[in-house]
Amino acid sequence: MALAENKGSWGRKRDSGTREVLRDRYRIFLSSPIPHMDSGENRAYQVEDLRDPVSRLYAIVVDPSIPYRDEMAQRMTSRSVSGILELHAHGVVQFDDTDYRYVFVFDQPLHGRAFSEGTPLTEQEVLGKIVPRLIDTITDLHSRGLAHRGIRADNLFLREKGRLGLVLGEAVTNPAGSLQPAVYEPLESANAMPHGRGELNPAADVYALGVLIVHLLGGVLPGQGRQAVDLYKAKLQQGTYAVLVPKIQASSRAGFLLAGLLNDDITRRWNLEVLKRWRDGVYERPRPGFGDRRAPGPIAFDDQEFVSPRLLAQALTERPSLGYSILENGKLESWVRNSLNDKEAAVRIGEILTRSTGLTRGMRRNEIQAISRAAAILDHQGALWYRDITFSRGGMGSLLAYGFRKGGALKNTLAELLESGLLPDVVFTDQNRMTKEKKKEDSWMKIGAAADCFEYMEKWKHLGFGLERCLYELNPTLSCLSPSLDGAYVRDVGQLLEILETKALQMDGKINPFDRHIAAFVAARTRSVSKHFSRLAALPQGSIDYTISLLNLFARLQNLLKPGPLPGLSLWFGQAIEPLIQKIHSEMRRELVRAKYERVKDSGNLEKILIELDLKNHIIRDASEYDQAIKAFIAVDNGIEALEKGSDYRKLAAQKYGHWIASVLSISVLFASMGLSYMYFIR
């Protein structure tokens, strides 16, 4: 399906008439922002409906580093949800040659927000008009298995005058629950970082509805001025109802409703059937929740006594070194077994020290991991803690995206967590617990994803692996964040190739189309090329084999996703192979290879270029010929040296022989002279 989409909508060159337009209908005006409709870090703009110019619409342009909720968006466009700003369309819009953005188009509420902070609404308005409409909306959503995760006071709008025109704002352009004030989050996610709260389940919307009622009736944000962690502890100690409801004036009818909505025990919280009965006038008297369960006997820690396991878990994460001591001395295991009467959990607590003992990663890190495991056992319903990060079930992917956006210590901590092996261990233990308790719930993340990320982190030095690979595997809607793309939104590899092609043409092939982000994005989105990344990981970067393998990867991607000509990337090919050509010793062969490249580059076919150049064979043959030439040169050089050495010998021998002849002649002359003298004197 992805390939078909790519060939259809991305395989053709878009003319200027289709730019700035979504689905050939909605024109987006980036020059006309609507700041009051911004959604977190995503920006809102004016929209013109080319088929219905009188309609009032607005667009949210998604920041490419923020994962949106694709499943919810797809379901909302296939069938609108009553009582929510209608989502007309969403998709990629081209604004310039390489400027692509992901855009959502909604109805624009004509009469602004339904609530002004500091101005309480009457119980009649809230319970008689707002709540019944929201019950209908939540019912519609939940019937499709969706949770809105954005029910809050500043996300209520008036489509027309009067409360009858009330609509709930959008919740698809940001991670689930990330824009909610902490007080709106149930205990399952109240101690998680905003971008790590996860989808949760429809019961989270029921809880948020209860907090919304308190907010509207009181006129101010419940718990205003209190830190999120303090609110979380207060809810655990007293229960949400006791913390929030006494602050407002409410009738018994409202009190019954709030007691049902704000029950911290998800199994006792009102479901939709009870809510619908309440809407129809059948009032039930629920039992308010009282926060976390209590053990019959306390455990002493940090000069306090704890009877709540979840409060103890929170305290352990605040003082991990001190917490490690009650693990070592066995007090925690004993308390869990005897006071909580949970033998299975006590066994898991006891096993933590076994895993930590003897490890060489440093005492502090051992303590952190041990406390993370212990807290996950004591508070298996809440967020998972590690150093300065917390995330709820299903929230790891969006938190990792946030970590890349913010960088620094947060990103480093996430990397440490993923490479430590802690996550697969914790998730596996949690799944075993649910199996024994016969519960069907998702853990903090899927065991397969946790194990895969651990494997990717083991190969973090290689392109296509590491933290970037985890980022794209856990966030299917996230754009590629490579600096080479200059912020353009890229959802699949076909779009990636198209933008890289345009940039390569603009820059004469002088681009970097394969950094850590691009490599990880391609590896995560295109399974059929996984063997190429395994091959690249086994080769030293910059080597001949590495470069040729990289070029083969791009040729493969062209065949799979962009079978048309890619003249821009062909120019990059020329830049990439030039260092290899320079390694060829033979000037004649170098010119031959360059001539072949010039002859075939205009085809734009990367595979054809590789086949025609046959670069590796040329390099191998050149190396062989060069080796033979070196050997021949050495042989000749040795021969010359031998000849030179032989001539000198003969010259020396001649000199010696000449000296001997001269000596003999001299002696002969001497004797002759003596003989003549003798004869002369005798005579």
Side-chain angles (χ1 to χ4, degrees):
M1 185 178 213
L3 295 185
E5 274 184 10
N6 178 64
K7 292 178 182 178
S9 61
W10 288 90
R12 63 179 186 271
K13 195 69 177 177
R14 301 184 179 202
D15 58 43
S16 58
T18 63
R19 294 188 179 184
E20 303 179 359
V21 178
L22 175 63
R23 303 284 187 247
D24 297 323
R25 177 171 179 175
Y26 304 103
R27 186 175 298 280
I28 318 300
F29 294 97
L30 296 183
S31 59
S32 301
I34 313 175
H36 69 275
M37 294 303 295
D38 287 347
S39 182
E41 296 179 48
N42 298 325
R43 298 293 170 250
Y45 299 94
Q46 291 282 0
V47 173
E48 177 190 4
D49 186 344
L50 300 179
R51 299 181 195 172
D52 184 10
V54 299
S55 62
R56 295 290 297 274
L57 308 171
Y58 80 104
I60 293 289
V61 176
V62 177
D63 185 302
S65 64
I66 297 177
Y68 60 85
R69 301 172 69 189
D70 188 50
E71 182 180 357
M72 185 175 184
Q74 298 296 345
R75 294 191 187 184
M76 287 182 65
T77 48
S78 63
R79 193 181 80 190
S80 60
V81 179
S82 63
I84 296 183
L85 287 176
E86 185 173 355
L87 173 58
H88 291 275
H90 61 100
V92 179
V93 177
Q94 181 181 9
F95 291 89
D96 204 341
D97 287 346
T98 57
D99 185 4
Y100 294 85
R101 311 190 192 196
Y102 206 89
V103 176
F104 290 82
V105 173
F106 300 94
D107 273 339
Q108 184 172 343
L110 302 181
H111 298 280
R113 287 187 166 84
F115 174 75
S116 297
E117 197 71 23
T119 306
L121 300 183
T122 66
E123 191 171 300
Q124 182 180 359
E125 286 181 297
V126 176
L127 302 189
K129 297 178 180 178
I130 295 177
V131 172
R133 291 186 65 80
L134 291 179
I135 290 175
D136 290 340
T137 300
I138 294 173
T139 300
D140 193 356
L141 274 173
H142 293 190
S143 67
R144 309 182 198 190
L146 298 174
H148 187 275
R149 301 291 285 115
I151 298 174
R152 60 183 184 275
D154 67 354
N155 204 24
L156 292 178
F157 297 92
L158 295 174
R159 192 161 42 195
E160 53 193 62
K161 290 183 179 180
R163 300 298 177 196
L164 295 178
L166 183 89
V167 288
L168 191 55
E170 66 91 7
V172 298
T173 63
N174 284 277
S178 61
L179 301 185
Q180 295 289 84
V183 71
Y184 275 85
E185 291 293 293
L187 288 178
E188 304 93 84
S189 57
N191 62 333
M193 299 178 72
H195 283 81
R197 287 171 175 163
E199 295 283 340
L200 296 187
N201 53 55
D205 283 347
V206 174
Y207 183 92
L209 177 60
V211 179
L212 172 66
I213 294 170
V214 176
H215 194 168
L216 298 179
L217 292 177
V220 295
L221 179 69
Q224 190 174 33
R226 300 179 70 174
Q227 294 292 323
V229 66
D230 294 332
L231 277 171
Y232 175 65
K233 291 178 181 179
K235 288 179 180 181
L236 285 173
Q237 288 173 321
Q238 306 166 47
T240 300
Y241 183 90
V243 172
L244 301 184
V245 176
K247 308 294 183 183
I248 63 169
Q249 292 184 349
S251 67
S252 58
R253 179 182 179 229
F256 292 160
L257 174 63
L258 291 171
L261 298 177
L262 296 176
N263 197 310
D264 296 303
D265 184 345
I266 194 171
T267 63
R268 295 184 176 182
R269 192 177 302 156
W270 275 7
N271 58 31
L272 289 177
E273 292 305 317
V274 180
L275 264 178
K276 285 188 279 187
R277 288 201 297 270
W278 177 90
R279 180 196 58 191
D280 296 335
V282 180
Y283 305 140
E284 301 181 17
R285 184 164 188 159
R287 180 185 175 189
F290 298 100
D292 191 25
R293 62 173 172 154
R294 279 139 175 87
I299 181 173
F301 176 70
D302 195 19
D303 298 326
Q304 298 181 61
E305 288 191 338
F306 292 86
V307 292
S308 160
R310 299 178 79 174
L311 275 172
L312 176 61
Q314 178 67 30
L316 292 176
T317 63
E318 293 172 355
R319 300 288 302 276
S321 294
L322 190 60
Y324 192 77
S325 65
I326 68 169
L327 269 174
E328 282 187 309
N329 60 28
K331 287 184 178 180
L332 182 59
E333 181 183 354
S334 176
W335 182 72
V336 171
R337 175 177 286 106
N338 299 321
S339 290
L340 293 183
N341 194 28
D342 192 337
K343 294 180 181 179
E344 292 287 345
V347 170
R348 294 197 298 271
I349 292 286
E351 291 173 346
I352 292 174
L353 285 177
T354 306
R355 290 189 177 95
S356 301
T357 304
L359 297 178
T360 58
R361 57 193 170 215
M363 187 59 190
R364 176 63 177 169
R365 192 167 175 182
N366 289 343
E367 291 174 355
I368 295 294
Q369 294 196 17
I371 294 303
S372 181
R373 288 186 170 94
I377 294 169
L378 293 169
D379 184 10
H380 56 77
Q381 295 173 300
L384 184 67
W385 170 89
Y386 187 82
R387 291 194 188 274
D388 54 347
I389 62 173
T390 50
F391 61 95
S392 304
R393 294 168 186 268
M396 181 60 183
S398 53
L399 181 60
L400 184 56
Y402 179 73
F404 268 88
R405 195 154 67 252
K406 295 302 178 184
L410 175 60
K411 182 180 173 183
N412 294 337
T413 301
L414 288 164
E416 180 183 309
L417 171 60
L418 288 169
E419 63 86 22
S420 67
L422 173 68
L423 272 178
D425 187 17
V426 169
V427 171
F428 181 74
T429 301
D430 188 54
Q431 287 188 339
N432 281 344
R433 173 193 63 81
M434 288 189 286
T435 299
K436 291 176 181 178
E437 295 176 4
K438 297 181 180 179
K439 291 184 177 180
K440 295 182 180 180
E441 301 173 1
D442 290 329
S443 190
W444 289 282
M445 63 188 300
K446 295 185 183 301
I447 184 66
D452 287 345
C453 279
F454 178 59
E455 181 182 341
Y456 300 146
M457 294 304 295
E458 287 184 314
K459 301 177 182 178
W460 68 270
K461 291 183 180 180
H462 303 293
L463 295 179
F465 298 94
L467 196 61
E468 293 83 1
R469 178 69 176 274
C470 297
L471 173 70
Y472 296 115
E473 292 285 358
L474 297 178
N475 292 284
T477 67
L478 197 68
S479 170
C480 179
L481 302 182
S482 168
S484 297
L485 301 176
D486 295 326
Y489 182 88
V490 173
R491 182 171 181 175
D492 59 43
V493 180
Q495 298 171 18
L496 173 69
L497 289 177
E498 183 163 329
I499 294 177
L500 291 175
E501 167 65 17
T502 303
K503 284 186 168 293
L505 280 173
Q506 292 173 344
M507 302 178 67
D508 243 3
K510 297 174 182 177
I511 63 169
N512 178 18
F514 201 68
D515 56 25
R516 290 196 66 87
H517 274 285
I518 290 176
F521 184 82
V522 171
R525 299 290 188 266
T526 315
R527 302 295 179 189
S528 57
V529 296
S530 58
K531 64 180 181 181
H532 290 271
F533 287 96
S534 299
R535 188 179 302 124
L536 287 170
L539 298 170
Q541 290 191 35
S543 67
I544 293 171
D545 286 336
Y546 180 90
T547 303
I548 291 176
S549 293
L550 176 59
L551 298 180
N552 272 315
L553 169 61
F554 273 84
R556 174 67 174 157
L557 291 175
Q558 181 185 22
N559 286 339
L560 282 175
L561 304 169
K562 299 291 294 181
L566 295 176
L569 286 175
S570 297
L571 291 174
W572 166 70
F573 255 45
Q575 297 288 331
I577 64 174
E578 184 56 32
L580 301 186
I581 295 175
Q582 291 292 341
K583 293 178 183 293
I584 297 175
H585 302 89
S586 166
E587 183 177 351
M588 182 181 298
R589 191 180 292 278
R590 286 200 302 269
E591 293 308 314
L592 173 65
V593 172
R594 288 193 180 106
K596 283 186 174 183
Y597 168 72
E598 291 297 326
R599 187 168 62 249
V600 77
K601 72 175 182 180
D602 291 338
S603 70
N605 187 316
L606 306 184
E607 184 177 31
K608 184 177 179 180
I609 293 174
L610 280 174
I611 293 172
E612 186 70 21
L613 293 185
D614 195 14
L615 197 54
K616 187 171 183 178
N617 186 42
H618 275 291
I619 292 173
I620 291 172
R621 289 177 62 185
D622 175 75
S624 175
E625 292 169 359
Y626 182 73
D627 186 56
Q628 291 176 10
I630 290 295
K631 289 178 180 177
F633 174 80
I634 291 173
V636 171
D637 189 61
N638 288 339
I640 292 172
E641 185 178 359
L643 288 173
E644 288 178 346
K645 287 181 178 179
S647 175
D648 290 342
Y649 175 78
R650 286 190 296 273
K651 184 177 180 181
L652 180 63
Q655 288 177 346
K656 288 182 178 180
Y657 184 69
H659 290 159
W660 179 77
I661 294 293
S663 298
V664 171
L665 289 174
S666 297
I667 293 172
S668 299
V669 170
L670 177 62
F671 278 116
S673 175
M674 290 175 65
L676 290 172
S677 297
Y678 175 75
M679 291 176 65
Y680 175 78
F681 282 111
I682 290 299
R683 196 179 49 191

